[in-house]
Amino acid sequence: MTPPVLAGLVLAAGRASRMGRDKRLLRVEGRSMLERAVAAALEGGLSPVLVVTGPEPQPDLPEGVIRVVNADPSRGMASSLAEGVAALPGNVAGVMVLLADMPRVTGAHVRALAAAFRPEGICVPVFAGQRGNPVLLARRFFAAMGELTGDKGARGLIAQHAQAVAEIAMEDDGILIDVDTPESLRALGGEE
């Protein structure tokens, strides 16, 4: 039996207003946060990997990674989700949504979620009873993802389909750590 095609969708179009500058390019342990998110998707075996950015000039992406442009990211995270889902190939059974400001998410987290994939479900990582990111959603949710609005991402969609959610236990808190402020970057030993 052929394994399901699981895509990676890295959301990287945010304005980073609390950081005061483009946080995707800030470095943690020698790599930009965007590089770390893309690496987690690739190391986790996701293919294809798409990165949703804003319309401004962007750094180069690894070969094979597809850039999707959100012409107006001020519409919120949901607009980036919609753009990314619309660009997915027809053979994709599920999509894992990764956030470019979570530099502690690794290929191991991605592999654990992918291993738990169910064709009708949603996989959410959990550490110490707290849900985090990335999340993996089956194709049956793609249309609803394309209709989301605002800056909440898929959180409301996941809440509406609680019966479809499988919580996947993780061994560390990397799924909970995001970087929104200079202080949170410094706490990770990041470079300003």
Side-chain angles (χ1 to χ4, degrees):
M1 189 160 119
T2 310
V5 175
L6 301 179
L9 183 58
V10 178
L11 301 185
R15 296 181 343 175
S17 55
R18 287 181 282 176
M19 183 62 77
R21 59 181 175 262
D22 191 342
K23 64 184 173 182
R24 299 165 299 184
L25 305 181
L26 299 175
R27 301 179 88 69
V28 174
E29 297 173 356
R31 294 194 310 191
S32 75
M33 289 199 288
L34 177 57
E35 288 171 329
R36 294 179 73 83
V38 170
L42 293 171
E43 291 165 11
L46 302 178
S47 181
V49 174
L50 291 75
V51 177
V52 182
T53 68
E56 63 280 351
Q58 299 292 327
D60 290 335
L61 295 171
E63 187 174 334
V65 174
I66 302 162
R67 182 185 321 276
V68 177
V69 175
N70 180 350
D72 186 9
S74 68
R75 295 176 295 154
M77 185 188 301
S79 67
S80 290
L81 264 176
E83 295 286 351
V85 168
L88 290 171
N91 66 333
V92 170
V95 64
M96 192 173 304
V97 180
L98 299 98
L99 306 179
D101 66 353
M102 296 190 70
R104 292 286 186 241
V105 169
T106 67
H109 296 124
V110 171
R111 283 190 299 275
L113 288 166
F117 176 74
R118 297 178 340 260
E120 298 299 315
I122 300 170
C123 295
V124 178
V126 177
F127 179 77
Q130 191 173 354
R131 288 181 174 182
N133 284 293
V135 296
L136 174 58
L137 299 103
R139 170 171 282 287
R140 78 176 181 114
F141 299 104
F142 289 6
M145 291 168 73
E147 295 172 1
L148 294 171
T149 59
D151 206 31
K152 298 242 188 306
R155 187 178 303 147
L157 179 65
I158 292 168
Q160 288 173 3
H161 296 278
Q163 77 287 352
V165 174
E167 292 187 338
I168 311 304
M170 297 291 161
E171 295 182 6
D172 65 77
D173 64 355
I175 59 146
L176 304 176
I177 299 171
D178 65 351
V179 175
D180 286 329
T181 64
E183 294 76 25
S184 59
L185 179 66
R186 282 193 293 275
L188 288 179
E191 305 162 27
E192 290 190 64

